[in-house]
Amino acid sequence: MSAKLNALNSDSYIDVSQYRDQHFKGNRYEQEKLLKQSHTLYVGNLSFYTTEEQVHELFSKSGDVKRIIIGLDKVKKTACGFCFVEYYTRTGAENAMRFINGTRLDDRIIRTDWDAGFKEGRQYGRGKSGGQVRDEYRQDYDPARGGYGKLAQQHRPTEARNSF
Amino acid sequence: MSRRRHSDENDGGQAHKRRRTSEPIEIEDRLESLICRVGEKSTSSLESNLEGLAGVLEADLPNYKNKILRILCSVARLLPEKLSVYTTLVGLLNARNYNFGGEFVEAMIRQLKETLKNNLYNEAVHLVRFLSDLVNCHVIAAPSMVAMFENFISVTQEEDVPQVRSDWFVYVVLACLPWVGKELYEKKDVEMDRLLSQIEGYLKGRVKTHVPMLQVWTAEKPHPQEEYLDCLWAQIQKLKKDRWQERHILRPYIAFDSVLCEALQHNLPPFTPPGHMPDAQYPMPRVVFRMFDYTDAPEGPVMPGSHSVERFVIEENLHCIIRTHWKERKTCAAQLLSYPGKNKIPLNYHIVEVIFGELFQLPCPPHIDVMYTTLLIELCKLQPGSLPQVLAQATEMLYMRLDTMNTTCIDRLINWFSHHLSNFQFRWSWDDWSDCLAVDIDKPKPKFVKEVLEKCMRLSYHQRIVDIVPPTFSALIPAEPIFVYKYEDESSSSLPGHSMSITVGNAIKNRASNEEILTILKEVPNPNQEDDDDEGESFNPLKIDVFLQTLLHLAAKSFSHSFSALGKFHEILKNLTESDEGKLHILKVVYEAWRNHPQMISVLVDKMIRTQIVDCAAVANWLFSQDMAHEFTRLFVWEILHSTIRKMDKHVQKIQQELEEAKDKLEKQQHKRRDSGDDEDMDKASEDEEGQLEEQIERLQEKVESAQSEQKNLFLVIFQRFIMLLTEHLVRCETGSVDISTPWYKNCIERLQQIFLMHHVTIQQYMGTLENLLFTAELDPHILAVYQHSRTRRNPDNPRTARFKKLAS
């Protein structure tokens, strides 16, 4: 039978990205292997107010969701704009990468990426202030993610924050 | 959001890694790329690209003939939307190298046999169509193509075969005629007339009782939902009347006519269709989805009529593009929008129609539902000035026709529309739909809006929904999804379980052990029993009520909290739900507490099945119970039921898989022993191993049988309940001389149909029992019809068989 053509086999939406978790316990090869078999997705650019229910409703459209772990600010223990979604099947996760990644949840374009698997501790932001690293340094104002970035907040005059 | 292909580093699912250093493989990649990409956007004309490519391939034939043959066979099979580009290419190659042309035809025939053997009927259609277009390119002689068609049509004379088999062979011939009808009629008009007459005779005698089950709308107006073969036949008849003049198909070979007509043609070898095998999976019958006609596209090119062959070709090609590119939405959208000949047709309308056609296809869409939502969003992004308007127009039309739309299709429309809106800030002109406020809330239109708003709320939050609809729509706004705690405050102190609930609540908060809590619960009086009855081991509804209400109340904050609670107190819950009544009651309590939050009910029921606190039959019984009668037409009820059936399916499949794996292992072990020779020690160890495996297989066999028994029981429960409800309704209407067709009835009967349609593969296994116990001749004809139609859809008896049986009896 004729071979499958590579040119027609493109499924680029499920490719592994360039990101590698620097805290991963194991070597690059092990991490790659886990990513390629993973049923778990990292979901980023959530609003701080996005609930587990909303995530469940959206991500259930690509497959049965096994569990959702909402990312938390390490200090405040409140949602800090990311989560993990674990599916019962690889296909569920793949279809999320194909059809939910890059669409909106709670009016924001969210981003999904393969994750090597949830481990206790990974639900916390790794930024110095307790939230995600990206919220430490960003310069823009995002009301759904605590306003200005943490660094930018320190440089803002206090009146701006207190005024109504 | 597109991701770049890391084809160098991440071969992912590819079978082998590419060796970048090896030259021949690089050239093979290049050949593949050249061939696959021909016909795409280019600065040169298609003709000059084809000419150039033909030259390159001709030069490569001495060294890469087999590779080129394989690639061309693959594109014939997998890129049907570019059919005539590749047939032209093959035509040019044949003109330059007659032997190559012959080898290609042989390879195609081999491939056709393989696809038929492997039940790849869609691909087989592409291959036959490719061969027929090769007649236009002077590669294949017309008479031999006609002979192949004659062999296909002879299948209609076969006895004792499923109708879907002969249907397919007729379909494939008709589906080629838009491309090659003209040429074949010019060369062999007598034979073609005979062929068409045979087809006509066959079509007249087909069984079509299954068609209503597949129609998206029950109404004939404005567009009849035609059975696919009937529609294609009408289109071919019209084409014939137009003397086979067809202007839509792209035919690059016309430009090369002077070269091609010099070429020598090949004869197709005689091709006998493979015989019918019992495990053959022919394509299922379908209905052609139409929602637009020439009156709908206000300006610009006119939409080809429903019986025009252009309509057929456009729809075929658009379906093929989706089938090729569905995994990559940007590419898919771009390919759809760059359809050749798009300036002569209202392309956006065709695209929207084809996409909805797939989304609403019964029993199931060809691809996962969410793909269509995302594809439409992508199309809106690429054509922001035109496509959103067509989509809005389509939505409006679908809303207008809700009264006659199939319930399953309405479900999908609800899910699509709410998800779509959530990507566009829920902007919609709800006021345009204020007509739905004037009718009874159970009617399809207000029901639809209500369900849409509920789904929108799940993707946002309650206040958002209040804000987006006009105040007149307040009756349709979903309830705020809050927990209803029975033992909330002092006002409930008169309730029997009230004080107990406080005790239990405190115990949980103070991290009492399961044993301690069970001891506390022993004190809960049983309203069903005498005081001096046993120690309270039997079903005690109040105990369940008190414990679960309290627990769920404490865990109400989020899904995770509730799941955690179910996990922590699993032992207690299992204890409370040992009996069937216990299982039913726990579901009742969950519903009572969370009745404003159907999403929470769904996830809790799912968790309870997975952790075996309740079983599937209990869930089915609960959904059909009197307590849930007032919710019976709500979408969340059916989502829970279908999810339950699916879980049961997966459970059975999983154990069957384990059994197969154990059997394989045993076989391997036995082979090893046979091959290992006379080593006594090895023999003994092997025997032990085999013994263990045999035991395991026996256990798994029992597990499979037990699981299948549970599965059969689940369907029995479901169908039994349906029959009870429907019979009750029919009898009530009859005695009251009232019309049976209430919205409730339409919903219920279509839900029954939906069970058959969506789970036909599984149900097939238990048909015998179902017929004997439930779907007997004594059943009301309305209900029995649903059962019978679902059977004929799956396996319509060939009318010849029926006549033959009659003659033979």
Side-chain angles (χ1 to χ4, degrees), chain B residues 88-106:
Chain B
T88 308
L89 180 63
V90 172
L92 292 172
L93 287 172
N94 180 56
R96 296 164 189 237
N97 188 322
Y98 177 78
N99 285 332
F100 178 77
E103 286 189 63
F104 177 74
V105 171
E106 276 167 24

Side-chain angles (χ1 to χ4, degrees), chain B residues 613-804:
Chain B
I613 294 171
V614 298
D615 57 30
C616 295
V619 174
N621 274 318
W622 162 62
L623 291 172
F624 280 93
S625 70
Q626 193 50 40
D627 291 329
M628 292 296 281
H630 62 294
E631 304 280 37
F632 195 68
T633 56
R634 279 183 72 186
L635 181 52
F636 84 92
V637 164
W638 299 97
E639 288 181 335
I640 294 178
L641 185 62
H642 285 284
S643 168
T644 303
I645 298 174
R646 272 199 311 272
K647 278 192 275 285
M648 185 79 245
D649 264 354
K650 290 210 175 104
H651 175 67
V652 170
Q653 281 165 13
K654 183 160 167 273
I655 308 178
Q656 280 172 331
Q657 173 104 345
E658 285 173 27
L659 178 60
E660 287 311 305
E661 282 168 7
K663 282 186 177 161
D664 282 342
K665 256 174 104 177
L666 180 62
E667 220 183 290
K668 277 205 190 89
Q669 193 62 33
Q670 286 168 337
H671 279 152
K672 244 175 81 182
R673 185 146 71 93
R674 237 171 285 152
D675 296 338
S676 72
D678 287 312
D679 185 337
E680 264 193 42
D681 289 329
M682 267 207 67
D683 246 14
K684 180 84 182 33
S686 199
E687 252 183 69
D688 285 340
E689 176 97 38
E690 283 177 36
Q692 276 179 10
L693 281 172
E694 277 164 4
E695 258 179 55
Q696 189 188 23
I697 288 176
E698 221 181 282
R699 266 183 284 124
L700 284 172
Q701 192 72 48
E702 277 171 26
K703 254 180 113 181
V704 165
E705 280 163 19
S706 161
Q708 283 176 327
S709 171
E710 200 188 329
Q711 187 178 51
K712 179 162 73 170
N713 186 49
L714 175 61
F715 281 112
L716 278 174
V717 166
I718 292 171
F719 288 130
Q720 219 158 31
R721 299 294 227 144
F722 262 118
I723 290 173
M724 276 162 56
L725 281 173
L726 285 166
T727 310
E728 227 180 83
H729 171 85
L730 289 165
V731 165
R732 208 182 316 128
C733 290
E734 211 180 312
T735 48
S737 300
V738 169
D739 183 18
I740 59 170
S741 302
T742 58
W744 180 92
Y745 177 73
K746 177 177 183 286
N747 188 286
C748 191
I749 205 113
E750 285 180 358
R751 290 295 180 196
L752 175 58
Q753 257 174 24
Q754 188 183 25
I755 304 280
F756 278 115
L757 278 178
M758 283 176 63
H759 305 283
H760 65 267
V761 176
T762 319
I763 292 172
Q764 189 68 11
Q765 299 167 48
Y766 308 117
M767 269 314 193
T769 313
L770 292 174
E771 256 184 62
N772 288 333
L773 290 183
L774 297 176
F775 296 100
T776 61
E778 285 91 52
L779 204 56
D780 184 294
H782 293 96
I783 310 172
L784 197 53
V786 177
Y787 170 72
Q788 286 169 338
H789 293 170
S790 74
R791 273 204 63 226
T792 59
R793 185 196 75 85
R794 209 175 142 58
N795 210 345
D797 257 335
N798 191 308
R800 284 186 59 80
T801 310
R803 286 199 297 274
F804 182 73

Side-chain angles (χ1 to χ4, degrees), chain A:
Chain A
M1 182 91 127
S2 62
K4 274 195 156 227
L5 294 174
N6 296 322
L8 298 179
N9 241 2
S10 188
D11 196 359
S12 55
Y13 282 79
I14 66 169
D15 284 347
V16 173
S17 75
Q18 306 282 36
Y19 174 86
R20 294 291 177 272
D21 180 5
Q22 298 300 326
H23 294 210
F24 177 77
K25 302 252 186 314
N27 62 39
R28 269 299 141 96
Y29 171 75
E30 285 162 2
Q31 193 172 143
E32 300 262 339
K33 188 155 170 253
L34 286 174
L35 291 173
K36 287 193 183 141
Q37 302 167 343
S38 172
H39 298 187
T40 306
L41 299 178
Y42 162 88
V43 184
N45 199 38
L46 297 180
S47 149
F48 285 12
Y49 307 105
T50 299
T51 60
E52 189 187 345
E53 282 87 334
Q54 288 166 316
V55 173
H56 194 281
E57 176 70 12
L58 181 61
F59 282 85
S60 292
K61 291 179 187 293
S62 69
D64 288 341
V65 170
K66 189 168 179 184
R67 69 173 164 165
I68 294 168
I69 297 134
I70 298 286
L72 302 175
D73 183 299
K74 194 157 194 166
V75 174
K76 299 190 216 150
K77 302 292 197 290
T78 54
C80 69
F82 74 99
C83 73
F84 296 102
V85 177
E86 189 188 336
Y87 286 90
Y88 285 102
T89 62
R90 168 88 185 174
T91 309
E94 285 180 351
N95 281 331
M97 289 290 286
R98 293 182 188 119
F99 308 121
I100 301 178
N101 185 14
T103 65
R104 288 184 192 267
L105 175 58
D106 226 1
D107 286 323
R108 302 172 66 88
I109 302 262
I110 56 166
R111 191 178 63 82
T112 66
D113 200 359
W114 291 108
D115 188 80
F118 176 75
K119 290 239 158 29
E120 181 54 39
R122 296 192 66 233
Q123 72 269 42
Y124 296 113
R126 294 172 181 167
K128 258 193 306 231
S129 319
Q132 289 197 281
V133 171
R134 58 195 294 247
D135 289 311
E136 290 290 319
Y137 303 112
R138 63 177 174 77
Q139 299 288 321
D140 62 319
Y141 180 76
D142 189 345
R145 287 183 75 100
Y148 289 102
K150 289 291 184 281
L151 218 58
Q153 267 176 34
Q154 287 164 23
H155 295 152
R156 297 230 138 227
T158 26
E159 296 93 82
R161 272 186 283 140
N162 290 336
S163 64
F164 288 105

